[in-house]
Amino acid sequence: MSTTTTATRARVTDTVLDSRVMIRRGLTRSMRDPEAFFTALTLPVALMLLFVYVFGGAMSTGGSYVDYVVPGIILLCAGFGAGTTAVAVADDMTNGIVDRFRSMPIAAGSVVVGHVVASVARNAIATTLVIAVALLIGWRPSAGPLEWFAAIGILAAFVLAISWLAATVGLLARSKDAANAFTMVLAFLPYVSTAFVPADTLPAALRGFAEHQPMTPIIETLRGLWMGTEIGDQAWWALGWCTLILVASAVTSARLFRRRTS
């Protein structure tokens, strides 16, 4: 019994140490690709400025447009970051590096964990930048410490779920180009939600999709926490979608990694 427990602890310790190495590798790769990193940081900010200053005057949201649009821009930012993760995983699976890792005594799951955690870290930096610029151009949330804590928790759950989904797509894709197409899907979803305009301004067919896709309850929950708008049951839907995506992606990616490296 004692021998089994000791062996289990040793495996857990090795997995944690291997994951730390892979996380550091993922972050180092991001820093060595400054153009992609710079684009991932500046594109959401540029889109926010575009919507606020070019389209914002024509949007009727019942208040300041920057107060309305910030949650959607942050989710758009997370989508761009996840697309980068999908491409990085697909690159690893096709350039032979995973075969080299498999020849070493490292935990197999640490490769995917490294990409996911590095993705969450990149998204945290990009989200912080978006929030800082939003405050500079007039975003004035009324949230207290408890609401901010809840909003950060929802955001962390969403980014973790979408990063793991991106890693799964990277394992499914047979090339970096195919994985890159995933970016387009994630970038498109916020546009057909309540990110930029209220759902009741959309055509009937799009309105039904917008009200029942995962982005909308997450956006409405963040908007309610930050700006005091009604949340209703949107928070439960948001947590449910994040949990579903995270569990399904984690299980699927583990099976895909074993299948592609066996």
Side-chain angles (χ1 to χ4, degrees), residues 1 7-8 12 20 25 32 37 53 69 73 86 112 116 119 127 137 149 154 157-158 198 227 229:
M1 183 67 176
T8 302
V12 172
R20 285 176 54 185
R25 171 178 176 265
R32 289 179 178 174
F37 192 59
Y53 290 116
V69 80
I73 293 294
V112 177
V116 170
S119 175
T127 300
I137 64 174
F149 181 78
I154 291 284
F158 173 71
M227 306 311 303
T229 56

Side-chain angles (χ1 to χ4, degrees), residues 103-201:
S103 68
M104 305 174 187
I106 66 171
S110 62
V111 177
V112 177
V113 170
H115 280 294
V116 170
V117 176
S119 175
V120 172
R122 287 194 301 269
N123 267 294
I125 297 172
T127 300
T128 301
L129 180 62
V130 169
I131 288 176
V133 174
L135 290 170
L136 287 176
I137 64 174
W139 184 51
R140 294 294 179 265
S142 59
L146 185 62
E147 286 81 8
W148 269 103
F149 181 78
I152 291 171
I154 291 284
L155 268 177
F158 173 71
V159 170
L160 181 62
I162 204 171
S163 296
W164 218 296
L165 175 62
T168 304
V169 172
L171 291 169
L172 276 171
R174 295 297 175 179
S175 67
K176 290 195 297 182
D177 291 338
N180 194 39
F182 176 64
T183 306
M184 300 302 294
V185 176
L186 286 180
F188 176 76
L189 278 179
Y191 290 100
V192 193
S193 71
T194 59
F196 302 106
V197 294
D200 57 10
T201 64

Side-chain angles (χ1 to χ4, degrees), residues 229-256:
T229 56
E230 183 179 354
I231 296 178
D233 61 355
Q234 296 295 301
W236 295 112
W237 281 104
L239 290 173
W241 275 115
C242 291
T243 303
L244 177 64
I245 294 171
L246 177 60
V247 172
S249 299
V251 172
T252 305
S253 65
R255 292 179 177 176
L256 283 172

Side-chain angles (χ1 to χ4, degrees), residues 31-63:
M31 299 305 296
R32 289 179 178 174
D33 189 1
E35 293 179 356
F37 192 59
F38 181 75
T39 301
L41 291 180
T42 57
L43 188 56
V45 173
L47 283 173
M48 180 170 63
L49 297 177
L50 176 71
F51 272 94
V52 171
Y53 290 116
V54 178
F55 303 128
M59 304 290 189
S60 177
T61 59

